[in-house]
Amino acid sequence: MMRSSPSDRRRGASIGFILAFYGIAAALTLIAAAITFAALSAREVGAVETTGTITASEERREHDSVGPPRTVHRPTIEFTDESGTRHTIRGDDQGQPATVGDPAIVHYHPDDPADAWHADKRNEIVIPFIILLFTAGFVVAGLVHLIKVLLRRSR
């Protein structure tokens, strides 16, 4: 039986590391895509989009067990549904104050317009964006490792 040389074992380990980096990157990309698709489509199925108006922006301090207190802003939005009925909803907490009078996209289901939501796409892409940053890190790490292996072989 032939034994593999140390350089063959290192080469196999290097290829394994590269495949692991790219496997993790591919898995993270799929997770980010799934989260984005779910966030953008789950509530949206059958929903109607309309434009409302920001009528107020409530400011409050939020305290949690980690880090210093932070200020959050929650807009109040008025909109009119397809039947002409006016509704008022509260948007999600935001880091910046909303400007009274600005337009705001609102989604609702025609059978229950009172259960409307502020369609702030910024909040729906944060987690997938963070995952994609990690994915980029794994891709770069895999490329660095690949370059190191190729440079070692060329000597």
Side-chain angles (χ1 to χ4, degrees), residues 29 59 62 100 145:
T29 302
E59 177 180 301
E62 222 176 56
V100 174
H145 192 73

Side-chain angles (χ1 to χ4, degrees), residues 28-52:
L28 289 173
T29 302
L30 290 175
I31 290 168
I35 290 172
T36 303
F37 179 75
L40 297 177
S41 66
R43 286 182 80 179
E44 307 289 329
V45 175
V48 174
E49 181 178 299
T50 189
T51 303

Side-chain angles (χ1 to χ4, degrees), residues 51-57 75-78 98-104:
T51 303
T53 304
I54 296 175
T55 58
S57 180
T76 300
I77 303 165
E78 283 188 6
T99 304
V100 174
D102 276 358

Side-chain angles (χ1 to χ4, degrees), residues 38-116:
L40 297 177
S41 66
R43 286 182 80 179
E44 307 289 329
V45 175
V48 174
E49 181 178 299
T50 189
T51 303
T53 304
I54 296 175
T55 58
S57 180
E58 173 192 323
E59 177 180 301
R60 71 178 196 285
R61 299 283 286 168
E62 222 176 56
H63 302 275
D64 58 14
S65 61
V66 179
R70 63 185 185 112
T71 302
V72 293
H73 305 273
R74 178 173 274 188
T76 300
I77 303 165
E78 283 188 6
F79 73 97
T80 304
D81 67 19
E82 290 177 325
S83 68
T85 306
R86 291 200 59 74
H87 299 274
T88 301
I89 64 166
R90 304 281 308 267
D92 293 333
D93 288 343
Q94 301 175 353
Q96 300 294 321
T99 304
V100 174
D102 276 358
I105 302 299
V106 175
H107 289 183
Y108 67 92
H109 291 284
D111 56 340
D112 189 13
D115 186 29

